Amino acid sequence: MALKLHDTLSRSLRAFTPRAGRPVGVYACGPTVYLPPHIGNFRTFVFNDLLHRYLEWQGHEVRFVMNLTDVEDKIIDGARQRGVDITAVTAPQTEAFFADLRALGVRPADVYPRATEHMDAMVGLVERLIEKDHAYERDGSVYFDIASFPAYGRLARVDLSQTRAGAGLADRARGIDADEYEKADARDFALWKAARDADREVGAAWPTPWGEGRPGWHIECSAMSMAELGETVDIHTGGEDLIFPHHEDEIAQSEAATGQPFVRYWLHVKHLKVNGEKMSKSKGNVFTIADLVARGHAPSAIRYLLLMAHYRSELNFTFAGLEDARGALRRLLDFSRRLEAAPVAEGAAEVGLAAAAAVALETFARGLDDDLNTPVALRALFDFVREANAALDRADEVPPAEHRAALDALTSMDDVLGIVALARAEEEGVDQEFAAWVEERLDARRDARARRDFAAADAIRSELGARGVVVEDTLQGVRWHRERGTADVASNR
């Protein structure tokens, strides 16, 4: 069964067909680094990680890009109130965001482009839109002419014929621009905003042919995705709240500029509720990863809970659910250690481990091929644990081939889910930042070996060794541990 993904644009389940001769390009809308993202945001970020891991598990080369919005009204207002440059607001939040990603075991993106680093690309894209009569300038601001793009509204099912010119779009999120009156049509959206004194005060104004200014929110993602992935992106992800207007506007400005399809597959993650209610500050149910960790909940349990529901189904986040996740992880950890310690002997009678592993991997892949159905994948994993435990109960010893098959299956499934290795690292006291660095260096070593650059691979091994990391190449993959009895975590890659 080939991977099928539910494409928001077509409202259908479509077979995923990678383009020949290039990596699969994935663009994920990242956070606005003004406040720490909440667990609803991290539901999307953990889903992104699942997608990233599964594409690689299937053998695809992936170029994964997640942007950081580091210039925006709230950032500017916060910087002005504190009397600092915008980087003083965004830098600590960016660092904290990366720490949360590491804590949850999220595989790093290939690049995290920042809006402030792509101003030339944004200005160039706006210029292309003006040249093609899809945009116009008003007193230093530039607006996209929605009427010039008849396909506007396809993603969100917005019918412009039912919205009169000058009335605005009632569903447009983010409110009405302060300079709305300058537009030719209230439905149009800002590509570029003329600088205010407040922008200049905090370093949020850049020179352009129209005078100093700053980008609109939507143009940022179009420019950054094109810079990193080209004019057509294979997969674009985000929370369902971004469908309109953000992703709708991305499509309009991108396709109007290039004449090419902007995205081949749109994936959107359903909202998360807390105790059955919508998250809101007034209800006191907006939690960050740091909040939950401070309450004593392990990041591995948070990650597990965020993966329990299908990404297009509503997820109800509860503290009882976190405790259930903790219990499920304990069962997985106990099984992992029991399997590793199982007595192995040549000539031992077959006990069914290999058969159980094969069934589990087939069911696991079938579930994820069906639009990344994590409940099916998790059920396959736990069915395997039950069958393998029963097999171990029946046997005093297991054959080496069956033992390897079972270990490989567990490792393989966890390479996608990322829960067992994370829970073990937590339990054994491995610093997550150090573990993430080791994994990054092992990825680089793997790439060097694939290029047959063995000198570079050996240099990376020596670099790891200098920091006390012992690397072992085994039949089950690459494993590593710390020297001299320090806490270690095995990682099969």
Side-chain angles (χ1 to χ4, degrees):
M1 179 176 177
L3 173 61
K4 293 183 178 180
L5 298 171
H6 187 273
D7 171 38
T8 306
L9 182 62
S10 64
R11 301 298 198 274
S12 65
L13 198 64
R14 297 173 49 213
F16 175 70
T17 54
R19 292 178 292 174
R22 66 180 71 192
V24 176
V26 182
Y27 186 86
C29 278
T32 298
V33 284
Y34 169 63
L35 293 173
H38 52 64
I39 52 175
N41 302 131
F42 273 101
R43 183 189 189 190
T44 299
F45 301 151
V46 169
F47 165 75
N48 291 340
D49 187 47
L50 176 81
L51 171 66
H52 187 181
R53 288 167 175 260
Y54 191 58
L55 288 169
E56 292 188 338
W57 194 83
Q58 287 193 317
H60 297 297
E61 182 183 357
V62 180
R63 180 163 175 78
F64 194 93
V65 178
M66 175 182 278
N67 77 293
L68 301 175
T69 298
D70 61 351
V71 55
E72 188 253 3
D73 289 342
K74 291 180 180 179
I75 293 172
I76 292 169
D77 293 344
R80 190 182 185 195
Q81 290 170 14
R82 291 168 49 185
V84 297
D85 187 273
I86 57 171
T87 56
V89 174
T90 61
Q93 293 298 334
T94 300
E95 183 178 344
F97 171 63
F98 286 142
D100 285 343
L101 291 181
R102 289 192 295 269
L104 291 173
V106 172
R107 187 167 292 176
D110 291 284
V111 63
Y112 293 94
R114 289 148 167 86
T116 54
E117 297 172 350
H118 287 76
M119 290 300 160
D120 288 345
M122 294 176 203
V123 171
L125 184 54
V126 173
E127 288 180 317
R128 290 172 72 181
L129 289 167
I130 292 174
E131 290 169 2
K132 295 189 173 186
D133 294 326
H134 288 292
Y136 57 92
E137 185 263 342
R138 288 288 189 278
D139 295 332
S141 293
V142 181
Y143 300 97
F144 184 85
D145 180 4
I146 284 181
S148 74
F149 190 73
Y152 189 89
R154 288 176 303 163
L155 186 69
R157 301 297 196 266
V158 173
D159 186 357
L160 283 184
S161 68
Q162 301 302 310
T163 307
R164 64 183 177 84
L169 292 170
D171 294 330
R172 181 171 291 283
R174 296 260 169 162
I176 297 173
D177 292 335
D179 51 1
E180 172 96 2
Y181 64 91
E182 298 172 349
K183 301 178 185 180
D185 185 329
R187 298 175 301 183
D188 298 343
F189 59 88
L191 299 168
W192 194 266
K193 299 181 179 182
R196 308 166 300 177
D197 289 341
D199 302 332
R200 297 185 180 92
E201 290 171 9
V202 298
W206 288 266
T208 75
W210 322 287
E212 284 190 320
R214 59 189 175 89
W217 177 35
H218 315 299
I219 199 69
E220 295 180 357
C221 281
S222 288
M224 287 187 282
S225 65
M226 289 184 193
E228 300 295 344
L229 298 170
E231 293 182 349
T232 299
V233 177
D234 288 306
I235 301 173
H236 195 318
T237 74
E240 65 175 351
D241 57 309
L242 297 181
I243 294 174
F244 187 83
H246 185 49
H247 290 163
E248 191 72 64
D249 291 355
E250 278 189 66
I251 292 172
Q253 65 201 8
S254 300
E255 296 189 358
T258 69
Q260 301 297 321
F262 177 47
V263 171
R264 300 176 65 231
Y265 299 83
W266 284 98
L267 307 185
H268 289 98
V269 181
K270 190 80 171 175
H271 287 306
L272 174 147
K273 289 188 175 180
V274 176
N275 294 318
E277 295 184 313
K278 184 178 180 180
M279 282 191 294
S280 70
K281 292 182 180 179
S282 63
K283 293 178 181 177
N285 64 357
V286 178
F287 299 108
T288 67
I289 302 303
D291 292 334
L292 297 175
V293 171
R295 287 171 175 248
H297 298 287
S300 57
I302 300 169
R303 180 183 175 96
Y304 183 95
L305 181 55
L306 294 176
L307 288 172
M308 285 179 63
H310 187 273
Y311 77 95
R312 288 192 295 111
S313 299
E314 196 169 85
L315 172 63
N316 188 31
F317 191 98
T318 67
F319 289 103
L322 275 178
E323 288 302 316
D324 291 342
R326 180 180 179 182
L329 286 169
R330 169 50 52 197
R331 184 181 175 196
L332 291 174
L333 285 174
D334 289 346
F335 170 71
S336 173
R337 291 195 171 92
R338 183 188 187 191
L339 182 61
E340 288 177 355
V344 178
E346 293 286 355
E350 292 186 0
V351 296
L353 279 177
V359 170
L361 286 171
E362 181 182 355
T363 307
F364 181 84
R366 189 184 309 122
L368 291 178
D369 279 344
D370 184 18
D371 195 29
L372 301 169
N373 194 325
T374 50
V376 172
L378 286 167
R379 187 160 59 248
L381 173 60
F382 279 97
D383 285 348
F384 170 62
V385 170
R386 186 185 67 253
E387 294 292 332
N389 271 326
L392 293 174
D393 288 340
R394 294 192 298 268
D396 295 326
E397 296 176 328
V398 296
E402 283 208 280
H403 190 241
R404 284 196 300 272
L407 284 172
D408 286 348
L410 178 61
T411 297
S412 183
M413 288 184 280
D414 194 52
D415 275 347
V416 179
L417 297 172
I419 50 179
V420 179
L422 180 61
R424 289 192 68 162
E426 292 167 351
E427 188 169 89
E428 297 170 1
V430 174
D431 176 79
Q432 288 299 300
E433 186 167 356
F434 181 79
W437 175 79
V438 173
E439 297 291 345
E440 184 275 327
R441 299 312 295 147
L442 288 176
D443 277 338
R445 178 174 179 260
R446 178 200 63 196
D447 292 343
R449 295 178 74 176
R451 299 191 309 270
R452 303 189 66 78
D453 187 349
F454 298 112
D458 290 343
I460 292 170
R461 185 169 191 149
S462 297
E463 178 186 3
L464 290 164
R467 295 190 62 178
V469 178
V470 177
V471 178
E472 301 174 5
D473 295 305
T474 74
L475 291 175
Q476 289 77 41
V478 178
R479 299 170 63 86
W480 66 271
H481 65 270
R482 301 292 295 277
E483 286 183 312
R484 299 186 181 278
T486 56
D488 64 20
V489 58
S491 176
N492 297 67
R493 302 177 63 79

